[in-house]
């Protein structure tokens, strides 16, 4: 059984590959500030996406996105603000949640990207 950080890294790698397949370039992963961490920061020609990755085996206890509560959203907004202060961009910022369902090593984990999952 893998540790929680190892499983999280696996889920984030799957999510990063899904973003790349959709035409995004991953700018940074695991950006930390005093407010929290953003799993993936990616961009395309139009958007700068701050993505929170949620890994679950199934939806038995609810959809993965439901675990991004108001408190977590506020920490993500604050962390994104810090990143934006350090990096100039003309792209439209957006907060996405990327749900990854499956167990590590699964041949085809199910991935769902919820664009603009919460305002900011």
């Amino acid at each position: 059984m893998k540790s929680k950080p190892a499983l999280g890294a696996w889920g984030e790698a799957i999510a990063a590959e899904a973003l790349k397949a959709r035409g995004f370039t991953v700018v940074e992963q695991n950006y930390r500030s005093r407010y929290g961490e953003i799993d993936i920061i990616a961009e395309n020609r139009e958007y700068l996406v701050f993505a929170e990755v949620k890994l679950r085996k199934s939806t038995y206890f609810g959809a993965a996105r439901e675990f991004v509560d108001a408190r977590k959203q506020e920490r993500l907004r604050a962390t994104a603000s810090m990143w934006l202060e350090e990096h100039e961009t003309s792209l439209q910022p957006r907060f996405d949640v990327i749900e990854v369902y499956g167990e590590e090593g699964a041949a085809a984990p199910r991935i769902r990207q919820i664009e603009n999952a919460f305002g900011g």
Side-chain angles (χ1 to χ4, degrees):
M1 184 184 224
K2 291 262 186 181
S3 68
K4 212 170 189 181
L7 288 173
W10 175 77
E12 289 171 16
I14 296 290
E17 288 304 314
L19 282 165
K20 289 175 190 174
R22 294 186 72 193
F24 284 86
T25 299
V26 174
V27 175
E28 194 160 344
Q29 287 189 252
N30 303 311
Y31 172 79
R32 296 184 197 300
S33 80
R34 66 179 179 256
Y35 302 110
E37 178 181 345
I38 295 174
D39 295 327
I40 301 172
I41 301 170
E43 65 184 15
N44 65 9
R45 287 187 235 165
E46 189 175 356
Y47 293 103
L48 177 69
V49 171
F50 297 99
E52 174 69 9
V53 178
K54 286 297 181 189
L55 172 65
R56 295 288 180 269
K57 289 181 182 178
S58 72
T59 58
Y60 184 77
F61 292 106
R65 70 184 163 277
E66 294 174 25
F67 293 88
V68 184
D69 61 14
R71 185 170 177 228
K72 177 68 174 179
Q73 290 175 24
E74 192 54 43
R75 288 195 312 261
L76 289 167
R77 283 187 194 97
T79 302
S81 290
M82 298 273 307
W83 192 91
L84 288 167
E85 286 177 18
E86 298 169 5
H87 303 84
E88 191 173 319
T89 184
S90 61
L91 298 173
Q92 174 66 45
R94 186 177 84 193
F95 293 95
D96 290 5
V97 173
I98 301 176
E99 300 174 323
V100 179
Y101 293 100
E103 300 204 29
E104 183 179 21
R110 196 166 47 97
I111 301 160
R112 180 168 183 234
Q113 182 174 347
I114 300 140
E115 296 179 358
N116 203 28
F118 53 95

